[in-house]
Amino acid sequence: MTTFIGDYHCKLDAKGRVVVPSAFKRQIDPASGERFVVKKDVFEKCLVLYPMDEWERQVKMIRSRINPYNREHSKFLRGFYMDTAELEMDSNNRVLLPKRLLDEAGIGADLVLAGQDGRIEVWAKEIYGSIRMDENEFADLAQRILGGTSLNDQQP
């Protein structure tokens, strides 16, 4: 499975393409090829780029928990697949981000590609700069989320 590490300040070209940083390119699992799915994030005002292997893993996880004949589940599926697009990296390591999605996320020419485990978040540069937590806030969050588990209980 791919794990993306790092954040990179990038620029969109006039056609809406962004170069995938070489560090991210090296981190892509060959099973994904050069294909991605992009969608609006569920919680934040950003886009999320999923390499195809990670997208398929997400879809498999959702399918295992969803009954398409349940009205609420069907509504969730509609929302999940809404505002998605399949992308392919070109020979210059660029992906064309759909203008409608860029507009919905408030992303202009200056953006940040941020590794987030198996996916890449795409942020407007100004918004990304404003979401940074201070050290104490992050330490408190880490303690709340991870502090109650024993290191012996964790899987390698």
Side-chain angles (χ1 to χ4, degrees):
M1 182 176 129
T2 303
T3 300
F4 293 104
I5 299 169
D7 52 358
Y8 301 89
H9 293 261
C10 304
K11 287 204 176 284
L12 283 178
D13 69 12
K15 295 182 180 180
R17 298 174 298 197
V18 64
V19 174
V20 175
S22 59
F24 283 168
K25 176 105 167 80
R26 285 191 304 270
Q27 295 168 25
I28 296 172
D29 187 327
S32 288
E34 302 196 341
R35 295 177 24 224
F36 295 88
V37 172
V38 63
K39 73 179 288 1
K40 285 179 20 183
D41 186 69
V42 174
F43 301 109
E44 302 290 344
K45 190 171 182 173
C46 69
L47 302 178
V48 181
L49 262 175
Y50 294 91
M52 196 53 73
D53 65 328
E54 177 62 19
W55 176 256
E56 289 170 355
R57 191 180 77 76
Q58 294 288 320
V59 169
K60 184 177 179 181
M61 179 181 65
I62 288 169
R63 283 182 180 152
S64 73
R65 301 184 70 179
I66 293 289
N67 175 354
Y69 295 100
N70 176 302
R71 191 178 304 258
E72 189 173 54
H73 292 199
S74 183
K75 187 175 181 178
F76 169 80
L77 282 174
R78 192 172 303 110
F80 180 77
Y81 286 107
M82 195 173 287
D83 297 321
T84 60
E86 188 172 337
L87 311 176
E88 190 161 354
M89 202 172 350
D90 68 15
S91 60
N92 294 316
N93 296 336
R94 299 174 302 193
V95 290
L96 174 64
L97 298 170
K99 181 167 176 21
R100 66 184 169 82
L101 294 179
L102 291 167
D103 290 346
E104 288 186 37
I107 299 171
D110 293 317
L111 55 91
V112 175
L113 298 179
Q116 179 85 15
D117 196 20
R119 62 194 197 148
I120 301 168
E121 293 181 336
V122 183
W123 290 88
K125 181 181 173 184
E126 307 78 40
I127 296 173
Y128 188 72
S130 71
I131 64 168
R132 181 178 295 276
M133 288 184 271
D134 72 24
E135 292 176 14
N136 291 329
E137 184 182 5
F138 181 74
D140 291 345
L141 183 61
Q143 182 176 355
R144 282 196 312 273
I145 292 173
L146 301 173
T149 61
S150 166
L151 291 177
N152 295 329
D153 295 338
Q154 296 177 3
Q155 298 294 327

